[in-house]
Amino acid sequence: MDSSQLLGITTFTYLFASFLYIGVLLFKAGKLGVAATAFTVIALLIQTAGLALRWIESYRMGIGHAPLTNMYESVLFFSWTIIIFYLVIEWKFKTRTIGAFAVPLAFLATAYASFAPIDKGITPLVPALQSNWLLAHVITCFVGYAAFAIAAALGIMYLAKKRFGGRDKTGSTSEVLPDLKILDDIIYKSLIFGFIWLSAGIITGAVWANSAWGTYWSWDPKETWSLITWFVYAFALHSRYTRGIKNETIAWLSILGFLSVVFTYYGVNFLLAGLHSYGSG
Amino acid sequence: MYKNNSVWRLFASVKLALVTLVLIAGTSIIGTVVPQNEAIEWYAGKYGPEISQLIAILDISDMYGSWWFLGLIYLLCINLVICSIDRFPGVWKQIQADGLSFGEERLGKMSNRLSWEVKSSATQVSSRLEERLSGKGWKAKRKTTEEGILLFGQKGAWTRTGVYFVHASILVIFLGAVIGAIGGFKGFVMLPEKQVTDKIGLYGGGLLDLGFAVRCNSFSIDFYANGMPKDYTSSLTVIENGQEILTKTIEVNDPLTYKGITFYQSSYEPYQDFVITVKNPRNGAEKFFTVPFQKQVNWPEEGLRFGVINAKMRDQSLVSSKIWFTDDKGSPTTVWADDGAQTTVKREAGEYLISAKQMYATGLQVAKDPGVWWVYLGCGLMMFGLYVAFFMSHRRIWLLITETEEGAQILFAGSANKNRPGFESSFVELTEQLRDQ
Ligand code: HEM
């Protein structure tokens, strides 16, 4: 059994868990809930084993490094952090409905890693990447991204609930969704959490750049986009202090912010050129 | 008062901050789409004359250093400063607030409150409660009022300043950037092996005198089995006033710093030439020579002639070379040697040690940035401030003990400025600990 097999199994387990969570939401089948959580936890464990095995495999190849150095590995790590973040929310806020939005996200990420035409090989590190700051940089960024992904999923839930929740009282899906106030609270907390990690991610990236090139900030497209993303979330956090900003604004901003995250992480590699171009492929 | 001035109100407002954030984030996109730092003709060729004129007027070719972009950043800073001056006194008041001035009326309105009765006298109860509170880390103050005995304790009053640390950190980072821009420089030098330079080219144009010299002793490049580069390293020696001060082998992520000037391994350039090093172990003579491919050199003092007559390359890198060597006593020797590896050549007169390596120039990024420590300080402050602002809170508790006929009545109240659910559960826990017995 090698790591890519384990990670392939993970993909299908997340898919299955996604169906269970969606089932819980659509058919109010509360009993499925335990199974949904169980399969998610199992998938997470398999994925953890897969990532650990990949790490070990890289050492067997004599080029040992943490599995966080190309698109394939970072997408997998991204889905891993999304699931952890989601499970913590499920446990803290005692609601499974969010899973119908969050677990499919993790599935999409692992499916992309497995099926997209990207390099899945374990490659050695070019000199610029041989730094402990790389590890700190990637981990902090992706923990932040995971929080923002969940916040965006919650934002969609918020808007869906707002649109449909009031009108039909027939006991439809939107009624199963948590209260707007609770959603707003979790969105805000996820944004805070993500903001701290994104800040740390930008800072560790700057320190790394300075130790490798003598410039902590060079306005290359990836850096600039991460800063744009940071400003979007700074905007979201401050929007609460202004009257005249509507309640659902923060939901919209959590979605907009995540689009910016996706562009920073993914779009920049393919649409714009820069220092970080090693990330493509 | 200036605080009611409408200009002041504008600059103190979060609304302006929101507008500025949108403008900075929105305009930042331009520089990620329009390539930066090209000549005006380049833009004219790509976008046409009208747009290239606009690019020139708005400084789009260097937009992150343009007057209007820096203007937006200054606007953000001014906004931050005025906003803080505007709000901080209020926050300071809350930090300093005397909890002992709170009466029953205010405590009765708090959302965390509970009252109960005990049989002992008010003075007895209050001492016991005070003791128990201090056991839980709440140093309580005490005051006797008309209503009874009031105990007040608080934790984390200073955490109300967390947001101000975050805001100040942004100013510190910008300060560091300004210090770096004024007192620092960035440049580059392509330094061939064995050569010395005391000047580097600045990115802004022009040459800079370092005040000392740097020599590249050697450069080497290592590959993984699959052909990817593994390591670039340069051995550098700093020379000042004719003295060798220090020697260090630098690589990417591990630069050399001397007198605040840092040399980063940044690139390299392979040459067609070779560096041949010859040593005569019998008299200790050793010398290196820079030799073009298939050209012969002389070392007249030792009476030697040699050169590289053949080479195996992979991409642009030398794998091994065939060295031709003679001391004019007997027929010349030829020997294959790996890049840079020392080989022994046996002649009638004795052995010689010889090595040939491809010659490189090392590309060094050279930078001085006296502001970088300010930037790092700002980053540290930001992380600290974010942690305080989001995860710590100012918690206050009061116990009002009033005399009754059978003993005393206790009103326990508490408040926190953030993380109220968390405070609620610790309040409940504390209540239980204070009540039992
Ligand atoms: C990039 C720039 C900025 C960053 C990163 C930043 C960061 C923060 C953070 C993290 C908070 C705490 C938010 C919360 O508790 O939800 C905050 C609060 C606040 N910020 Fe900013 N800020 C920035 C710019 C500004 C500017 C320019 C102003 C000027 C008006 C401003 C005014 C405020 C105010 C009034 C608060 C609320 C303070 C309170 O809770 O007492 N911020 N800021």
Side-chain angles (χ1 to χ4, degrees), chain A residues 62-63 122-131 133 185 188-189 192-193 195-197 199-201 203 206-216 218-222 224-225 227-232 234-243 245 263 271-273, chain B residues 14-15 17-19 21-22 24-26 28-29 31-33 36 64 69 73 76 87 163 166-167 170 173 176-178 180 186 224 226 228-232 251-255 264-266 365 367 369 371-372 375-376 378-380 382-383 386-387 390-391 419 421:
Chain A
I63 48 173
I122 299 177
T123 45
L125 297 180
V126 299
L129 300 187
Q130 296 163 14
S131 164
W133 288 108
D185 184 46
Y188 182 66
K189 288 194 167 123
I192 285 174
F193 189 79
F195 191 73
I196 289 189
W197 286 94
S199 306
I203 290 171
V207 175
W208 175 25
N210 192 52
S211 72
W213 296 289
T215 324
Y216 52 81
S218 53
W219 293 105
D220 99 296
K222 195 122 184 162
T224 309
W225 270 97
L227 190 68
I228 291 169
T229 304
W230 191 71
F231 278 129
V232 171
F235 183 98
L237 293 181
H238 285 85
S239 65
R240 311 197 320 154
Y241 296 95
T242 314
R243 265 168 296 145
I245 289 220
F263 192 80
L271 300 177
L272 310 168
Chain B
V14 178
K15 228 176 230 156
L18 294 178
V19 171
L21 288 174
V22 168
I24 293 179
S28 291
I29 297 175
T32 68
V33 179
Q36 296 288 291
Y64 302 109
F69 191 76
I73 302 228
L76 188 77
R87 286 171 181 252
V163 167
V166 178
H167 288 160
I170 292 167
I173 290 172
V178 171
K186 295 217 155 56
Y224 293 106
N226 70 354
M228 276 171 67
K230 182 179 184 182
D231 245 336
Y232 313 116
E251 57 187 308
V252 186
N253 283 310
D254 185 18
Y264 299 86
Q265 180 69 65
S266 143
Q365 167 114 339
D369 190 347
V372 74
V375 173
Y376 286 177
C379 291
M382 179 179 289
M383 293 316 297
L386 285 172
Y387 183 81
F390 291 135
F391 295 127
N419 186 18

Side-chain angles (χ1 to χ4, degrees), chain B residues 41-53:
Chain B
E41 297 79 31
W42 188 90
Y43 294 103
K46 178 145 189 201
Y47 301 106
E50 277 105 36
I51 292 180
S52 76
Q53 206 152 26

Side-chain angles (χ1 to χ4, degrees), chain B residues 69-112:
Chain B
F69 191 76
L70 292 181
L72 285 175
I73 302 228
Y74 286 129
L75 181 61
L76 188 77
C77 292
I78 293 168
N79 193 190
L80 265 175
V81 171
I82 305 274
C83 172
S84 304
I85 296 175
D86 196 58
R87 286 171 181 252
F88 195 74
V91 173
W92 190 244
K93 232 188 222 158
Q94 281 182 304
I95 292 174
Q96 298 282 314
D98 179 15
L100 292 174
S101 69
F102 281 51
E104 186 169 4
E105 201 197 345
R106 273 181 87 177
L107 300 183
K109 283 198 200 118
M110 294 194 171
S111 51
N112 291 300

